[in-house]
Each structure stands twice: as C-alpha cells, then as structure tokens.
Amino acid sequence: MTEHEASDSAAPELFTWEFATDPYPAYAWLRENSPVHRTRLPSGVEAWLVTRYADARQTLADQRLSKNPAHHDEPAHAKGRTGIPGERKAELMTHLLNIDPPDHTRLRKLVSKAFTPRRVAEFAPRVQELTDQLIAGFAARGSADLIHEFAFPLPIYAICDLLGVPREDQDDFRDWAGMMIRHGGGPRGGVARSVKKMRGYLAELIHRKREALTAEPEPGEDLISGLIRASDHGEHLTENEAAAMAFILLFAGFETTVNLIGNGMHALLTHPGQRARLQASIEAGESGLLETGVEELLRFDGPVELATWRFATEDVRIGGQDIAAGDPVLVVLAAADRDPERFEQPDTLDLSRRDLQHLGYGHGIHYCLGAPLARLEGQTALGTLLSRLPDIQLAGESADLRWRGGLIMRGLRTLPVEFTPVK
C-alpha cells in the first residue's frame, strides 16, 4: 500500500449530517494528509477535493479547468448530477457558472454594470429599508427565526428589485427559492419544478419588458431591461441567455447572502467577546470593524463551502497530485480559508483581522460578481440587528442547530433567537 493509499484509507467520513454540523476538523485532516483528495460524492460522482489555500487559489485561476460540464468524462446520463437540478430541462445552462471565455467574458461584461460600487451604493437605501421592515415584523414579539424571517427574505427581495421583478410577483420568487433551500440536500423533484416555474416566469417577464422598453434607458434601469437592451443593440444575447442570466443571478445571489447573514450571526452569538466589540464600535458610529468583521465572518464560516464544479480539459497536476482530463475538481473554500499556512490562528474568529485575502467569493475570472451587493447586505443586516436588538441571543443551544446538507453551500436550517421586545 502506498503512502497516498494509506492516508486515504484513514480519511474521515465526509458529507454526513455530523460532518455538515462541523466540517472543519475533517478539512484540517485532509489539508495535512491528503490535500488533493479523490472522493465519491453523495450523488455518486467521483471528484477531487482541493483543500490547501495555495492550491485552491491556483486552481480557481487555472484556465485548463473548465466550467463547462461537457468536459466531464462521466456518461451523458450522469452529467446532470453536476449542476442545479432542473436547469438542463429548463434550458438554463448558458450562464456564468457553466461557461468559459469568450462567452463568459461577453456575458460577464454585460452584467458587471449592475454591480459597480456606484450602483451598489445607490441601492443601499433600499437594502436598509428592507432590513428595517423585516425586523419590524418580529421586533415586538421578542423572538424570531432569523433564517426564515430575516436572512432568507432580505436578499430575495433585494435581488428581485435589482432584476426588475414587480413587487406583486416577488412572493412567488420567495416561494420558489424557499423550495430550493429546503430541499437542497434531499429529494430534488420540488427543486426542478421550482426551477421550471422560474424559467417560465422569467421568459414571460423578458417578453413583457422588451415590449415596454423605452428608446433610451431610464435612470436606475433594472438589470433585466439592461440585458434586453444590450441584446437588442448588437451584444448578441439570446432570450435563453437572458433568462439563464437572470436565473443564475437570482439563484447565486440569494442563498449566498442567506448563509452570510445566518452563519455570520451564529458566529457572533457564539463568540460573545467579538460580538461585544462589534456592538461597541457600531454604537460609537464607526464602520471599520463592521467592514473588516464581515470579511472575517466570510473567512471563518463562509456561505459557500465548495466552489462550483470545474472539469480538467487536459491532464493537470495540482498540489503534487496528477488529475486526468475529464475529472471533476472541487475547490473547498471552507478548508482553504482555515489553512494555517496562510492565516495566523485560522480557527480563531478575529473581527479586526487585517489579512482579508480569503477565498469566500472565489478568485480569478469567476470571482463572484455580486460580492459588493452581498457585502452591503451583510453589513446592513448584521449592523442593524445588533443595533436594534442589542441583547439578542440564541434561543437554545448551538449544538442543537441543524445545518442544511448539501455540497456547494453551507448554511443553517433555522436560527432561533430571543431578545427584549421592541415596540
């Protein structure tokens, strides 16, 4: 038996419910003993897990690793196990998470205008308004489930506003998105149906917006109208591409922020010293610790556990391990961001940490486009919760909380809290 085989035979069990609760000890073992580790995923697909920071950063930027599932060496019937359930049947495959340059470059350029610092700053009052409205819905009660009553609806309504989904239709999106989150690690039929409903709605909405499009863009024009305008002015964006783009912005733009707020608040509630420092800083009217604190929360227990699928287009070598063409590769962001070779005392939460080069939103050409909006939502949500509900605490024990089983995302099912009621 080789050293590699011996270390793999002693590897901790992955992707169990116990693992989902606290994956970090298992990731520490992999970093130390099998940093590029081949495993069978719950779906049955075999893939390589990359766990060290240096290897992860290199892999995320390696152009020999394609985002297109067509490069997967699995049989055709198995390729559907590597995407979002239902997206193939709903003709939603042509989006930023599944394509490579030059198409990726073209589509990303179109969407990037919606996430400039100026555009995000203009959106800040709406995010604050949504935050205040949601807190007002439970503040007088003295208790809440922060996932379902706050962390979940906030980014859904925000991304719907950004896309241009009419307010009267946004609760439908909340229901469809809720189905995706609830069944992310279990039976997938409901997810596929929700994806199909979203796709149908988006196609109809794109048609309606095209009919109503003005000759010149209005100030603060919504993103779907901007995509249609680009399509109609020589950017060659097909209707399927526009629908797929709107879908993936919704899909990727809400669950990451749900988990950023949920995981972040959980970390603060279970680290009272750090939470007290942050509350004192906010009360003093300072913003610096909140800004660095959100980055540290992203590193410490981020919303995206594994980066989305990559497939080797040729034989490659990562971290001393040979990977064959066609093999799937998954970068474990959660493991890389706790690598002691990169971060001092990586298992310690330090909101004033200055080394902020985490991989929570990826790296390279697929770096998360919506990161500025997610950061705004995270800072607004956490800062407002701690200000409006200063004595907020967990209702129950942290050990009793359940984490959603899944592959890519990391988030809590519920986060029950209690506090002094606020009129």
Side-chain angles (χ1 to χ4, degrees):
M1 182 180 290
T2 67
E3 181 181 344
H4 179 74
E5 289 170 334
S7 66
D8 282 0
S9 67
E13 190 174 2
L14 306 177
F15 311 119
T16 63
W17 288 113
E18 292 77 16
F19 168 84
T21 299
D22 183 10
Y24 296 103
Y27 288 149
W29 190 96
L30 290 178
R31 276 195 313 266
E32 182 68 26
N33 298 282
S34 185
V36 182
H37 180 76
R38 189 171 178 87
T39 190
R40 183 177 295 276
L41 304 172
S43 64
V45 174
E46 290 196 358
W48 294 95
L49 303 180
V50 179
T51 58
R52 288 180 178 169
Y53 182 95
D55 296 335
R57 188 176 171 92
Q58 172 194 331
T59 302
L60 291 170
D62 195 328
Q63 297 295 300
R64 297 170 299 173
L65 295 167
S66 170
K67 299 290 287 177
N68 190 340
H71 292 290
H72 191 189
D73 67 353
E74 286 280 316
H77 72 273
K79 291 185 189 295
R81 300 175 187 164
T82 60
I84 299 165
E87 67 177 349
R88 289 176 178 275
K89 291 181 181 178
E91 297 180 301
L92 290 168
M93 287 296 292
T94 311
H95 58 64
L96 289 172
L97 297 186
N98 281 348
I99 57 175
D100 303 314
D103 285 338
H104 176 270
T105 308
R106 173 176 62 89
L107 294 179
R108 188 178 174 98
K109 181 180 178 183
L110 291 178
V111 183
S112 63
K113 299 167 187 173
F115 297 103
T116 62
R118 178 181 174 183
R119 185 73 185 273
V120 170
E122 291 172 350
F123 201 56
R126 176 58 179 159
V127 173
Q128 185 66 62
E129 179 186 11
L130 286 169
T131 299
D132 292 338
Q133 288 174 355
L134 291 168
I135 293 175
F138 56 76
R141 197 170 71 229
S143 64
D145 174 1
L146 282 187
I147 300 299
H148 292 284
E149 296 182 76
F150 183 70
F152 174 67
L154 174 59
I156 276 289
Y157 292 140
I159 199 69
C160 280
D161 278 354
L162 195 67
L163 288 171
V165 176
R167 298 275 170 90
E168 62 269 22
D169 296 340
Q170 292 184 7
D171 283 338
D172 288 335
F173 272 81
R174 179 175 175 169
D175 292 342
W176 297 330
M179 179 66 74
M180 291 182 181
I181 281 193
R182 284 193 298 274
H183 296 287
R188 311 308 294 266
V191 181
R193 285 193 296 273
S194 293
V195 170
K196 185 177 180 180
K197 288 177 181 178
M198 268 191 196
R199 169 65 177 90
Y201 176 86
L202 288 169
E204 180 186 343
L205 182 62
I206 287 169
H207 177 74
R208 293 205 314 262
K209 285 185 177 289
R210 176 169 270 129
E211 293 288 308
L213 207 65
T214 57
E216 296 296 328
E218 304 281 342
E221 183 174 69
D222 65 73
L223 182 51
I224 289 179
S225 295
L227 291 173
I228 296 167
R229 195 178 297 282
S231 174
D232 292 346
H233 289 79
E235 294 286 357
H236 310 297
L237 190 71
T238 69
E239 187 165 299
N240 268 346
E241 286 177 330
M245 183 70 72
F247 169 79
I248 201 59
L249 288 171
L250 181 72
F251 185 85
F254 86 88
E255 192 171 2
T256 52
T257 309
V258 174
N259 295 347
L260 167 58
I261 297 169
N263 297 7
M265 199 64 197
H266 174 258
L268 291 172
L269 294 175
T270 53
H271 292 78
Q274 292 296 307
R275 174 253 187 93
R277 288 181 61 201
L278 181 55
Q279 281 184 293
S281 173
I282 293 170
E283 189 175 345
E286 301 165 355
S287 62
L289 191 62
L290 181 60
E291 292 171 2
T292 61
V294 167
E295 297 307 307
E296 172 67 348
L297 293 168
L298 281 162
R299 182 202 68 82
F300 181 76
D301 197 11
V304 183
E305 191 166 341
L306 283 77
T308 50
W309 296 84
R310 285 165 169 76
F311 307 92
T313 59
E314 59 184 80
D315 293 350
V316 296
R317 191 169 180 83
I318 300 174
Q321 176 66 55
D322 292 322
I323 293 174
D327 278 1
V329 177
L330 289 164
V331 175
V332 187
L333 304 176
D337 280 341
R338 295 268 192 119
D339 187 345
E341 293 294 316
R342 179 61 184 81
F343 297 101
E344 185 177 350
Q345 296 185 308
D347 295 321
T348 298
L349 179 69
D350 178 6
L351 299 183
S352 59
R353 189 184 294 269
R354 295 299 174 185
D355 182 358
L356 304 177
Q357 298 301 310
H358 61 77
L359 300 176
Y361 281 122
H363 173 65
I365 64 170
H366 291 283
Y367 182 83
C368 178
L369 258 178
L373 178 60
R375 287 186 170 104
L376 167 67
E377 291 173 335
Q379 290 171 20
T380 304
L382 296 176
T384 307
L385 278 172
L386 293 175
S387 298
R388 294 276 306 277
L389 311 173
D391 63 349
I392 189 170
Q393 60 183 349
L394 285 175
E397 298 297 323
S398 176
D400 295 333
L401 295 174
R402 294 294 300 275
W403 295 77
R404 291 192 302 276
L407 188 63
I408 302 299
M409 301 291 185
R410 172 165 171 78
L412 287 160
R413 290 177 176 270
T414 61
L415 184 57
V417 294
E418 54 191 13
F419 45 86
T420 300
V422 178
K423 299 294 185 182

Short mmCIF file of all heavy atoms in Angstrom, two decimals, residues 328-378:
data_model
loop_
_atom_site.label_atom_id
_atom_site.label_comp_id
_atom_site.label_asym_id
_atom_site.label_seq_id
_atom_site.Cartn_x
_atom_site.Cartn_y
_atom_site.Cartn_z
N PRO A 328 -13.69 15.77 -12.54
CA PRO A 328 -14.22 16.95 -11.84
C PRO A 328 -13.31 17.36 -10.68
O PRO A 328 -12.73 16.50 -10.01
CB PRO A 328 -15.58 16.48 -11.30
CG PRO A 328 -15.85 15.15 -11.93
CD PRO A 328 -14.51 14.57 -12.28
N VAL A 329 -13.20 18.66 -10.48
CA VAL A 329 -12.39 19.21 -9.40
C VAL A 329 -13.24 20.21 -8.62
O VAL A 329 -13.87 21.09 -9.20
CB VAL A 329 -11.14 19.93 -9.96
CG1 VAL A 329 -10.33 20.57 -8.83
CG2 VAL A 329 -10.27 18.97 -10.76
N LEU A 330 -13.25 20.04 -7.30
CA LEU A 330 -13.99 20.94 -6.42
C LEU A 330 -13.02 21.58 -5.44
O LEU A 330 -12.34 20.89 -4.68
CB LEU A 330 -15.07 20.17 -5.66
CG LEU A 330 -16.26 19.68 -6.49
CD1 LEU A 330 -17.05 18.63 -5.73
CD2 LEU A 330 -17.16 20.85 -6.87
N VAL A 331 -12.96 22.91 -5.47
CA VAL A 331 -12.11 23.64 -4.53
C VAL A 331 -12.89 23.86 -3.24
O VAL A 331 -13.98 24.43 -3.25
CB VAL A 331 -11.68 24.99 -5.13
CG1 VAL A 331 -10.88 25.80 -4.10
CG2 VAL A 331 -10.85 24.77 -6.39
N VAL A 332 -12.32 23.40 -2.13
CA VAL A 332 -13.01 23.50 -0.83
C VAL A 332 -12.61 24.84 -0.20
O VAL A 332 -11.60 24.96 0.48
CB VAL A 332 -12.65 22.33 0.09
CG1 VAL A 332 -13.51 22.39 1.35
CG2 VAL A 332 -12.86 21.00 -0.62
N LEU A 333 -13.44 25.85 -0.45
CA LEU A 333 -13.15 27.19 0.05
C LEU A 333 -13.08 27.21 1.57
O LEU A 333 -12.25 27.90 2.16
CB LEU A 333 -14.22 28.16 -0.44
CG LEU A 333 -14.45 28.23 -1.95
CD1 LEU A 333 -15.60 29.18 -2.27
CD2 LEU A 333 -13.18 28.68 -2.68
N ALA A 334 -13.97 26.45 2.21
CA ALA A 334 -14.01 26.42 3.68
C ALA A 334 -12.71 25.88 4.26
O ALA A 334 -12.27 26.30 5.33
CB ALA A 334 -15.19 25.57 4.16
N ALA A 335 -12.09 24.92 3.57
CA ALA A 335 -10.82 24.37 4.04
C ALA A 335 -9.67 25.34 3.75
O ALA A 335 -8.80 25.56 4.61
CB ALA A 335 -10.55 23.03 3.36
N ALA A 336 -9.66 25.91 2.57
CA ALA A 336 -8.58 26.83 2.19
C ALA A 336 -8.54 28.04 3.12
O ALA A 336 -7.46 28.52 3.50
CB ALA A 336 -8.76 27.28 0.75
N ASP A 337 -9.70 28.54 3.52
CA ASP A 337 -9.76 29.73 4.35
C ASP A 337 -9.47 29.47 5.82
O ASP A 337 -9.43 30.40 6.63
CB ASP A 337 -11.13 30.40 4.20
CG ASP A 337 -11.23 31.23 2.93
OD1 ASP A 337 -10.17 31.58 2.38
OD2 ASP A 337 -12.36 31.54 2.50
N ARG A 338 -9.22 28.20 6.17
CA ARG A 338 -8.75 27.87 7.53
C ARG A 338 -7.35 27.26 7.47
O ARG A 338 -6.92 26.58 8.41
CB ARG A 338 -9.71 26.87 8.19
CG ARG A 338 -11.13 27.39 8.46
CD ARG A 338 -11.25 27.99 9.84
NE ARG A 338 -12.66 28.22 10.20
CZ ARG A 338 -13.27 27.66 11.22
NH1 ARG A 338 -12.63 26.81 12.02
NH2 ARG A 338 -14.54 27.95 11.50
N ASP A 339 -6.62 27.51 6.39
CA ASP A 339 -5.28 26.92 6.21
C ASP A 339 -4.28 27.68 7.09
O ASP A 339 -4.04 28.87 6.88
CB ASP A 339 -4.88 27.02 4.74
CG ASP A 339 -3.58 26.27 4.44
OD1 ASP A 339 -2.84 25.92 5.38
OD2 ASP A 339 -3.31 26.05 3.24
N PRO A 340 -3.63 27.00 8.05
CA PRO A 340 -2.67 27.69 8.93
C PRO A 340 -1.42 28.14 8.20
O PRO A 340 -0.67 28.98 8.72
CB PRO A 340 -2.34 26.64 10.00
CG PRO A 340 -2.67 25.32 9.37
CD PRO A 340 -3.80 25.58 8.43
N GLU A 341 -1.18 27.60 7.00
CA GLU A 341 -0.05 28.07 6.20
C GLU A 341 -0.32 29.46 5.62
O GLU A 341 0.60 30.12 5.16
CB GLU A 341 0.24 27.09 5.06
CG GLU A 341 0.75 25.73 5.53
CD GLU A 341 2.12 25.85 6.18
OE1 GLU A 341 2.99 26.55 5.63
OE2 GLU A 341 2.31 25.25 7.27
N ARG A 342 -1.59 29.87 5.63
CA ARG A 342 -1.95 31.16 5.04
C ARG A 342 -2.46 32.16 6.07
O ARG A 342 -2.18 33.36 5.99
CB ARG A 342 -3.02 30.94 3.96
CG ARG A 342 -3.51 32.23 3.28
CD ARG A 342 -2.32 32.92 2.58
NE ARG A 342 -2.71 34.19 1.99
CZ ARG A 342 -2.82 35.33 2.65
NH1 ARG A 342 -2.59 35.37 3.96
NH2 ARG A 342 -3.16 36.44 2.02
N PHE A 343 -3.22 31.67 7.06
CA PHE A 343 -3.82 32.56 8.05
C PHE A 343 -3.33 32.20 9.45
O PHE A 343 -3.37 31.04 9.84
CB PHE A 343 -5.35 32.46 8.01
CG PHE A 343 -5.96 32.91 6.70
CD1 PHE A 343 -6.36 31.97 5.76
CD2 PHE A 343 -6.10 34.25 6.41
CE1 PHE A 343 -6.91 32.37 4.55
CE2 PHE A 343 -6.65 34.66 5.20
CZ PHE A 343 -7.05 33.71 4.27
N GLU A 344 -2.92 33.23 10.19
CA GLU A 344 -2.48 33.02 11.57
C GLU A 344 -3.69 32.69 12.44
O GLU A 344 -4.73 33.35 12.36
CB GLU A 344 -1.80 34.30 12.08
CG GLU A 344 -1.18 34.16 13.46
CD GLU A 344 -0.45 35.41 13.89
OE1 GLU A 344 -0.26 36.32 13.04
OE2 GLU A 344 -0.09 35.50 15.08
N GLN A 345 -3.56 31.65 13.25
CA GLN A 345 -4.66 31.19 14.11
C GLN A 345 -5.99 31.14 13.34
O GLN A 345 -6.96 31.83 13.66
CB GLN A 345 -4.80 32.10 15.33
CG GLN A 345 -3.58 32.08 16.24
CD GLN A 345 -3.80 32.91 17.50
OE1 GLN A 345 -4.18 34.08 17.46
NE2 GLN A 345 -3.57 32.29 18.65
N PRO A 346 -6.05 30.31 12.31
CA PRO A 346 -7.19 30.34 11.40
C PRO A 346 -8.51 29.91 12.03
O PRO A 346 -9.58 30.27 11.53
CB PRO A 346 -6.79 29.35 10.30
CG PRO A 346 -5.83 28.41 10.97
CD PRO A 346 -5.07 29.27 11.94
N ASP A 347 -8.47 29.14 13.13
CA ASP A 347 -9.70 28.70 13.77
C ASP A 347 -10.22 29.69 14.81
O ASP A 347 -11.19 29.40 15.52
CB ASP A 347 -9.49 27.32 14.41
CG ASP A 347 -9.21 26.25 13.37
OD1 ASP A 347 -9.84 26.29 12.31
OD2 ASP A 347 -8.34 25.38 13.62
N THR A 348 -9.56 30.84 14.91
CA THR A 348 -9.97 31.88 15.83
C THR A 348 -10.71 32.98 15.07
O THR A 348 -10.23 33.45 14.03
CB THR A 348 -8.75 32.51 16.53
OG1 THR A 348 -8.10 31.50 17.31
CG2 THR A 348 -9.16 33.66 17.44
N LEU A 349 -11.88 33.38 15.57
CA LEU A 349 -12.63 34.49 14.98
C LEU A 349 -12.07 35.80 15.51
O LEU A 349 -12.08 36.04 16.72
CB LEU A 349 -14.12 34.37 15.33
CG LEU A 349 -15.02 35.48 14.79
CD1 LEU A 349 -15.13 35.38 13.27
CD2 LEU A 349 -16.42 35.41 15.43
N ASP A 350 -11.56 36.63 14.61
CA ASP A 350 -10.98 37.92 14.98
C ASP A 350 -11.52 38.97 14.01
O ASP A 350 -11.04 39.09 12.88
CB ASP A 350 -9.45 37.85 14.92
CG ASP A 350 -8.80 39.19 15.25
OD1 ASP A 350 -9.51 40.13 15.64
OD2 ASP A 350 -7.56 39.30 15.11
N LEU A 351 -12.52 39.73 14.45
CA LEU A 351 -13.19 40.68 13.56
C LEU A 351 -12.27 41.81 13.10
O LEU A 351 -12.57 42.48 12.12
CB LEU A 351 -14.42 41.27 14.26
CG LEU A 351 -15.52 40.28 14.66
CD1 LEU A 351 -16.70 41.02 15.28
CD2 LEU A 351 -15.97 39.43 13.48
N SER A 352 -11.16 42.01 13.79
CA SER A 352 -10.23 43.07 13.39
C SER A 352 -9.07 42.52 12.56
O SER A 352 -8.10 43.23 12.30
CB SER A 352 -9.69 43.80 14.62
OG SER A 352 -9.01 42.90 15.48
N ARG A 353 -9.18 41.29 12.12
CA ARG A 353 -8.12 40.68 11.30
C ARG A 353 -7.87 41.54 10.06
O ARG A 353 -8.82 41.93 9.36
CB ARG A 353 -8.53 39.26 10.90
CG ARG A 353 -7.42 38.45 10.23
CD ARG A 353 -7.95 37.10 9.77
NE ARG A 353 -8.34 36.23 10.88
CZ ARG A 353 -7.53 35.37 11.48
NH1 ARG A 353 -6.27 35.25 11.07
NH2 ARG A 353 -7.96 34.62 12.48
N ARG A 354 -6.60 41.80 9.78
CA ARG A 354 -6.26 42.65 8.64
C ARG A 354 -5.95 41.86 7.37
O ARG A 354 -5.97 42.41 6.27
CB ARG A 354 -5.06 43.54 8.99
CG ARG A 354 -5.35 44.54 10.10
CD ARG A 354 -6.46 45.50 9.72
NE ARG A 354 -6.85 46.38 10.81
CZ ARG A 354 -7.87 47.24 10.74
NH1 ARG A 354 -8.60 47.30 9.64
NH2 ARG A 354 -8.17 48.00 11.78
N ASP A 355 -5.66 40.59 7.52
CA ASP A 355 -5.37 39.74 6.36
C ASP A 355 -6.72 39.27 5.81
O ASP A 355 -7.31 38.32 6.29
CB ASP A 355 -4.51 38.54 6.78
CG ASP A 355 -4.14 37.66 5.60
OD1 ASP A 355 -4.58 37.96 4.47
OD2 ASP A 355 -3.42 36.68 5.81
N LEU A 356 -7.21 39.97 4.80
CA LEU A 356 -8.57 39.74 4.30
C LEU A 356 -8.59 39.03 2.95
O LEU A 356 -9.62 39.06 2.25
CB LEU A 356 -9.31 41.08 4.20
CG LEU A 356 -9.37 41.90 5.50
CD1 LEU A 356 -10.05 43.24 5.27
CD2 LEU A 356 -10.09 41.13 6.59
N GLN A 357 -7.51 38.39 2.57
CA GLN A 357 -7.44 37.75 1.25
C GLN A 357 -8.04 36.35 1.30
O GLN A 357 -7.41 35.37 0.88
CB GLN A 357 -5.97 37.72 0.79
CG GLN A 357 -5.35 39.09 0.61
CD GLN A 357 -6.09 39.95 -0.40
OE1 GLN A 357 -6.37 39.50 -1.51
NE2 GLN A 357 -6.43 41.17 -0.01
N HIS A 358 -9.25 36.26 1.80
CA HIS A 358 -9.93 34.96 1.83
C HIS A 358 -10.48 34.63 0.44
O HIS A 358 -10.50 35.49 -0.47
CB HIS A 358 -11.06 34.98 2.85
CG HIS A 358 -12.12 36.02 2.56
ND1 HIS A 358 -13.08 35.84 1.60
CD2 HIS A 358 -12.36 37.24 3.10
CE1 HIS A 358 -13.88 36.88 1.54
NE2 HIS A 358 -13.44 37.76 2.45
N LEU A 359 -10.94 33.40 0.28
CA LEU A 359 -11.48 32.94 -1.00
C LEU A 359 -12.99 32.77 -0.94
O LEU A 359 -13.58 32.06 -1.75
CB LEU A 359 -10.82 31.61 -1.40
CG LEU A 359 -9.29 31.65 -1.58
CD1 LEU A 359 -8.75 30.25 -1.87
CD2 LEU A 359 -8.90 32.62 -2.68
N GLY A 360 -13.62 33.42 0.03
CA GLY A 360 -15.05 33.24 0.24
C GLY A 360 -15.90 33.51 -0.98
O GLY A 360 -16.96 32.90 -1.15
N TYR A 361 -15.47 34.41 -1.84
CA TYR A 361 -16.20 34.69 -3.07
C TYR A 361 -15.41 34.28 -4.31
O TYR A 361 -15.64 34.79 -5.41
CB TYR A 361 -16.59 36.17 -3.14
CG TYR A 361 -17.80 36.48 -2.29
CD1 TYR A 361 -17.73 37.43 -1.27
CD2 TYR A 361 -19.01 35.82 -2.49
CE1 TYR A 361 -18.84 37.70 -0.48
CE2 TYR A 361 -20.11 36.09 -1.71
CZ TYR A 361 -20.03 37.02 -0.72
OH TYR A 361 -21.12 37.31 0.07
N GLY A 362 -14.48 33.35 -4.11
CA GLY A 362 -13.74 32.83 -5.25
C GLY A 362 -12.51 33.65 -5.59
O GLY A 362 -12.02 34.47 -4.80
N HIS A 363 -12.02 33.42 -6.82
CA HIS A 363 -10.79 34.07 -7.28
C HIS A 363 -10.73 33.87 -8.79
O HIS A 363 -11.26 32.91 -9.33
CB HIS A 363 -9.57 33.43 -6.60
CG HIS A 363 -8.25 33.90 -7.13
ND1 HIS A 363 -7.82 35.20 -7.00
CD2 HIS A 363 -7.27 33.24 -7.80
CE1 HIS A 363 -6.62 35.32 -7.57
NE2 HIS A 363 -6.27 34.15 -8.06
N GLY A 364 -10.08 34.80 -9.48
CA GLY A 364 -9.93 34.65 -10.92
C GLY A 364 -11.13 35.19 -11.69
O GLY A 364 -11.92 35.99 -11.17
N ILE A 365 -11.30 34.72 -12.92
CA ILE A 365 -12.34 35.29 -13.78
C ILE A 365 -13.75 34.96 -13.30
O ILE A 365 -14.72 35.61 -13.71
CB ILE A 365 -12.18 34.83 -15.25
CG1 ILE A 365 -12.36 33.31 -15.38
CG2 ILE A 365 -10.84 35.27 -15.81
CD1 ILE A 365 -12.45 32.85 -16.84
N HIS A 366 -13.89 33.96 -12.43
CA HIS A 366 -15.20 33.61 -11.91
C HIS A 366 -15.44 34.17 -10.51
O HIS A 366 -16.37 33.73 -9.83
CB HIS A 366 -15.38 32.09 -11.90
CG HIS A 366 -15.48 31.50 -13.27
ND1 HIS A 366 -16.62 31.57 -14.03
CD2 HIS A 366 -14.57 30.84 -14.03
CE1 HIS A 366 -16.42 30.97 -15.20
NE2 HIS A 366 -15.19 30.52 -15.22
N TYR A 367 -14.63 35.15 -10.10
CA TYR A 367 -14.86 35.81 -8.82
C TYR A 367 -16.29 36.34 -8.80
O TYR A 367 -16.79 36.88 -9.79
CB TYR A 367 -13.87 36.97 -8.65
CG TYR A 367 -14.00 37.69 -7.32
CD1 TYR A 367 -13.39 37.20 -6.18
CD2 TYR A 367 -14.74 38.86 -7.22
CE1 TYR A 367 -13.51 37.86 -4.97
CE2 TYR A 367 -14.86 39.53 -6.01
CZ TYR A 367 -14.24 39.01 -4.89
OH TYR A 367 -14.37 39.66 -3.67
N CYS A 368 -16.96 36.18 -7.68
CA CYS A 368 -18.39 36.48 -7.58
C CYS A 368 -18.70 37.92 -7.96
O CYS A 368 -18.24 38.87 -7.31
CB CYS A 368 -18.88 36.20 -6.16
SG CYS A 368 -20.61 36.60 -5.90
N LEU A 369 -19.52 38.07 -9.00
CA LEU A 369 -19.91 39.40 -9.46
C LEU A 369 -20.71 40.15 -8.41
O LEU A 369 -20.60 41.37 -8.28
CB LEU A 369 -20.79 39.27 -10.71
CG LEU A 369 -20.17 39.53 -12.07
CD1 LEU A 369 -21.21 39.28 -13.14
CD2 LEU A 369 -19.65 40.96 -12.17
N GLY A 370 -21.53 39.44 -7.67
CA GLY A 370 -22.42 40.08 -6.71
C GLY A 370 -21.80 40.32 -5.36
O GLY A 370 -22.52 40.72 -4.42
N ALA A 371 -20.49 40.12 -5.21
CA ALA A 371 -19.84 40.28 -3.90
C ALA A 371 -20.09 41.67 -3.29
O ALA A 371 -20.37 41.77 -2.09
CB ALA A 371 -18.35 39.99 -4.00
N PRO A 372 -20.01 42.77 -4.07
CA PRO A 372 -20.26 44.08 -3.45
C PRO A 372 -21.66 44.19 -2.86
O PRO A 372 -21.85 44.75 -1.78
CB PRO A 372 -20.05 45.06 -4.61
CG PRO A 372 -19.15 44.34 -5.56
CD PRO A 372 -19.56 42.91 -5.47
N LEU A 373 -22.66 43.64 -3.56
CA LEU A 373 -24.03 43.69 -3.05
C LEU A 373 -24.17 42.81 -1.81
O LEU A 373 -24.82 43.20 -0.83
CB LEU A 373 -25.02 43.25 -4.13
CG LEU A 373 -26.48 43.20 -3.72
CD1 LEU A 373 -26.97 44.57 -3.26
CD2 LEU A 373 -27.35 42.67 -4.86
N ALA A 374 -23.58 41.62 -1.84
CA ALA A 374 -23.66 40.72 -0.69
C ALA A 374 -23.01 41.35 0.53
O ALA A 374 -23.52 41.24 1.66
CB ALA A 374 -23.00 39.38 -1.02
N ARG A 375 -21.87 42.01 0.33
CA ARG A 375 -21.21 42.68 1.46
C ARG A 375 -22.09 43.79 2.03
O ARG A 375 -22.20 43.95 3.25
CB ARG A 375 -19.87 43.25 1.00
CG ARG A 375 -18.80 42.17 0.76
CD ARG A 375 -17.45 42.80 0.45
NE ARG A 375 -16.42 41.80 0.47
CZ ARG A 375 -15.85 41.27 -0.63
NH1 ARG A 375 -16.24 41.66 -1.83
NH2 ARG A 375 -14.90 40.36 -0.52
N LEU A 376 -22.71 44.56 1.14
CA LEU A 376 -23.62 45.62 1.59
C LEU A 376 -24.76 45.01 2.41
O LEU A 376 -25.09 45.51 3.49
CB LEU A 376 -24.19 46.37 0.38
CG LEU A 376 -25.38 47.30 0.67
CD1 LEU A 376 -24.94 48.47 1.55
CD2 LEU A 376 -26.01 47.80 -0.63
N GLU A 377 -25.36 43.94 1.91
CA GLU A 377 -26.46 43.31 2.61
C GLU A 377 -26.01 42.74 3.95
O GLU A 377 -26.70 42.85 4.97
CB GLU A 377 -27.08 42.22 1.74
CG GLU A 377 -27.81 42.77 0.53
CD GLU A 377 -28.28 41.69 -0.42
OE1 GLU A 377 -27.68 40.59 -0.45
OE2 GLU A 377 -29.24 41.95 -1.17
N GLY A 378 -24.82 42.11 3.96
CA GLY A 378 -24.30 41.55 5.20
C GLY A 378 -24.03 42.61 6.25
O GLY A 378 -24.41 42.47 7.42
#
